[in-house]
Amino acid sequence: MNKLVTTKNLTIANLIIVSYFGIIYILNYYKIDFVLIGVFSELLTIPFLIAQLVFLGIGIKHLFKNKKEVLNIISLLLLATSSFITLRSFF
């Protein structure tokens, strides 16, 4: 599993998750509503919510064990901010 969790892979996964929630926010802000967008949004939101929390935990663990790189730290901070905003929107 350590071969799969590299700094590059973790950074890419973090940025994809943050981008997904950013796109969902922008689509809702500008009230862009197409059927196909709604289908993908419904299908992907719960898996991305779970992945957000899982990758946040993996990222923090990876950050303490390995060398700290600036891009990895930035992507982890963006993921933490996105997680906070997403989870806060439920309450």
Side-chain angles (χ1 to χ4, degrees):
M1 178 152 162
N2 287 336
K3 291 182 181 180
L4 294 175
V5 182
T6 62
T7 303
K8 181 180 176 183
N9 290 343
L10 192 60
T11 302
I12 291 171
N14 290 346
L15 293 177
I16 288 172
I17 293 169
V18 170
S19 298
Y20 174 77
F21 284 108
I23 289 169
I24 294 295
Y25 175 76
I26 290 169
L27 290 174
N28 285 331
Y29 183 78
Y30 289 111
K31 295 177 180 42
I32 299 172
D33 189 27
F34 295 112
V35 174
L36 193 59
I37 292 173
V39 168
F40 283 116
S41 174
E42 292 290 330
L43 285 174
L44 296 175
T45 299
I46 292 176
F48 270 93
L49 278 171
I50 294 168
Q52 195 173 31
L53 297 175
V54 169
F55 277 101
L56 187 61
I58 291 172
I60 291 170
K61 183 178 175 184
H62 183 77
L63 192 65
F64 284 124
K65 284 189 173 186
N66 297 329
K67 187 176 86 170
K68 294 161 182 61
E69 295 184 16
V70 175
L71 191 58
N72 190 20
I73 294 171
I74 291 171
S75 72
L76 193 60
L77 287 174
L78 286 172
L79 186 65
T81 305
S82 175
S83 297
F84 177 74
I85 291 170
T86 305
L87 293 176
R88 187 175 169 197
S89 70
F90 289 119
F91 302 108

